[in-house]
Amino acid sequence: MNQPGILDLVSFGPDGWGKALLAGAWMTILIALAGYSIGAVIGSFGAWAKISGSRGLRIAADTYTTVLRGIPDLLVIYLFYFGGSAVVTAVGQLFGAQGFVGFPGFLAGSLAVAVTSGAQFTEVFRGAFKAVHAGEIEAAIACGMSRWLRFRRIVAPLTLRHALPGLGNVWQVVLKESALVSITGVAELLRQTQVAAGSTGLPFDFYLIAGAIYLLISTVSGLFMRRAEQHFSRGVRRS
């Protein structure tokens, strides 16, 4: 019996795994987008805490970034998944539920990715804010702009412009971190690849296909990030 080729493995026919891999790739993108979006919000608050001038907020933000950047991402996912399940089980028992209640894998994975990426977002936003020239803010003050107007028209756009290269790097990291969510049983790309490899006995072929899909997603999203960076850098003279 001849071994099926790559095209046969990724076909959408009854013997192909194309539909399952496509669904897994879509789930991977959803996890990455959810983690990235929530992480950006967390990072915004973290950066604000670091530059707020409050010693207590700065210590809290420094502790957060130090801890989350210092422990493995896989461990964070385990903590959210099993810790969340323990909390949900305890709450369920208060209302009369019996037995173990599992925490949704998608939610646990997305939150874990968000919290870990939030530490990176914090440093990206903090560094981008520090890169805004003080003279531009002083000029806005001289023009009589209110604090909110200065933030909306000067600080936020310039901070975003300086942050975009770092935000692109964080996205690439988040995309790779999403593969770790497979340990919670979520049918994302790596999980679907593991199932296909086990069912067919062709692990090398399927992991090679998965790598190509990850690379495709990364490349396309990288192009989008570069276009965004070019858009926000219009009119800026480069040295």
Side-chain angles (χ1 to χ4, degrees):
M1 182 177 179
N2 293 331
Q3 180 175 315
I6 295 292
L7 294 180
D8 296 321
L9 297 177
V10 299
S11 68
F12 289 86
D15 298 325
W17 289 84
K19 187 175 181 179
L21 293 175
L22 184 62
W26 176 241
M27 181 60 69
T28 290
I29 294 173
L30 289 179
I31 293 171
L33 286 174
Y36 190 83
S37 301
I38 301 172
V41 174
I42 296 174
S44 299
F45 283 106
W48 169 78
K50 286 201 170 191
I51 63 179
S52 65
S54 169
R55 185 169 181 271
L57 290 176
R58 188 173 65 253
I59 291 175
D62 286 338
T63 302
Y64 163 67
T65 54
T66 300
V67 171
L68 268 299
R69 296 170 71 188
I71 63 177
D73 298 338
L74 185 61
L75 177 57
V76 178
I77 296 176
Y78 275 128
L79 291 174
F80 267 88
Y81 183 60
F82 292 110
S85 297
V87 171
V88 172
T89 299
V91 172
Q93 290 175 350
L94 291 177
F95 291 93
Q98 300 294 325
F100 177 80
V101 181
F103 196 64
F106 178 87
L107 182 58
S110 298
L111 290 176
V113 171
V115 169
T116 55
S117 66
Q120 301 177 56
F121 274 114
T122 296
E123 296 303 331
V124 169
F125 287 139
R126 184 189 65 81
F129 176 80
K130 292 292 186 181
V132 177
H133 198 280
E136 294 174 288
I137 299 178
E138 292 170 358
I141 295 174
C143 291
M145 289 186 180
S146 65
R147 177 174 295 184
W148 168 246
L149 190 59
R150 291 199 306 271
F151 175 79
R152 186 166 62 88
R153 290 192 173 181
I154 305 298
V155 177
L158 290 177
T159 298
L160 179 60
R161 176 185 293 172
H162 292 302
L164 273 173
L167 297 181
N169 292 334
V170 174
W171 166 255
Q172 301 294 345
V173 172
V174 166
L175 186 62
K176 290 189 288 186
E177 283 181 352
S178 66
L180 301 176
V181 182
S182 62
I183 64 170
T184 67
V186 176
E188 47 74 67
L189 180 56
L190 185 59
R191 179 66 176 175
Q192 295 284 29
T193 303
Q194 292 169 338
V195 172
S199 299
T200 61
L202 299 171
F204 178 79
D205 301 73
F206 276 104
Y207 287 124
L208 187 64
I209 293 170
I213 296 175
Y214 277 115
L215 182 60
L216 177 62
I217 298 173
S218 175
T219 301
V220 172
S221 55
L223 290 174
F224 174 79
M225 284 292 189
R226 282 193 289 274
R227 289 292 299 273
E229 186 177 349
Q230 292 170 359
H231 173 77
F232 282 96
S233 298
R234 289 181 304 177
V236 177
R237 185 173 62 184
R238 299 184 181 277
S239 58

